[in-house]
Amino acid sequence: VAPLLEANGKSVTVIAASALESDMLNYFDVVYVGLLSGLALLEDQTFDGSGLRLGESYDELIDRETGEIYVSSEARSLASPAFYRDYAYLARYKAQGGALVTIIAAERDTGLRGLSQLVASADLSDDLQNAAENDAGFEALVQVTGQQGADLNERLIFARQRD
């Protein structure tokens, strides 16, 4: 992701999410790349304006409107050749401090690998492009099918405006 930002003339500094301090959101835009469990300071702001919420663990995302639950089955399937599903979350919004925040996150590693490929692709789906076009915040949920740690394919579940 850093090379994509640098190609657009942005200066990039990489820090651990645990090193992010709230006053930094007054001065710097942020791109978070990692697991949902590592959002730390960004977790509340990310899900306050989202149509999703975290479930009982970081392996569950729940649609606030429909109640549909998106649960990663990666942890139970890594030792077997079975296919499994993981879910990845992409969002962009203005933080309370004014920073533009982009979240590239997933429940587990397979989802993060699949989402990273999708984000780095020049060929975004029409739904994702339309949601991300204007300055309003947006979010997207992607299902990633995996097998033994490898992401095999990605399917956009939804791309929509954030509240």
Side-chain angles (χ1 to χ4, degrees):
V1 174
L4 293 173
L5 296 172
E6 290 172 344
N8 288 320
K10 301 278 185 180
S11 172
V12 177
T13 302
V14 177
I15 64 169
S18 59
L20 183 67
E21 298 174 8
S22 57
D23 70 327
M24 291 177 173
L25 297 175
N26 293 321
Y27 307 105
F28 304 104
D29 292 338
V30 174
V31 176
Y32 172 83
V33 180
L35 299 179
L36 291 171
S37 60
L39 280 168
L41 176 72
L42 297 171
E43 183 177 313
D44 287 342
Q45 288 191 54
T46 297
F47 289 105
D48 278 349
S50 173
L52 295 169
R53 66 177 177 83
L54 292 169
E56 292 182 22
S57 75
Y58 290 102
D59 283 340
E60 296 179 8
L61 287 170
I62 301 170
D63 190 303
R64 292 178 194 270
E65 186 175 320
T66 67
E68 180 140 9
I69 301 172
Y70 302 95
V71 180
S72 174
S73 57
E74 179 176 344
R76 294 182 298 236
S77 303
L78 282 177
S80 78
F83 294 101
Y84 55 85
R85 291 181 180 159
D86 195 15
Y87 294 91
Y89 179 73
L90 176 64
R92 184 185 67 217
Y93 61 90
K94 282 279 190 190
Q96 293 172 1
L100 181 61
V101 177
T102 301
I103 304 293
I104 302 168
E107 294 173 342
R108 295 283 176 148
D109 291 341
T110 301
L112 188 58
R113 279 192 295 276
L115 183 59
S116 296
Q117 289 180 18
L118 182 70
V119 169
S121 169
D123 186 28
L124 297 177
S125 73
D126 289 342
D127 289 341
L128 188 53
Q129 255 182 327
N130 290 339
E133 266 183 357
N134 59 36
D135 289 338
F138 80 94
E139 64 183 354
L141 185 67
V142 176
Q143 176 185 297
V144 180
T145 301
Q147 184 181 35
Q148 293 183 318
D151 60 299
L152 303 176
N153 69 11
E154 301 83 32
R155 180 177 69 87
L156 182 66
I157 295 175
F158 64 73
R160 60 189 179 199
Q161 301 297 305
R162 283 174 52 99
D163 291 336

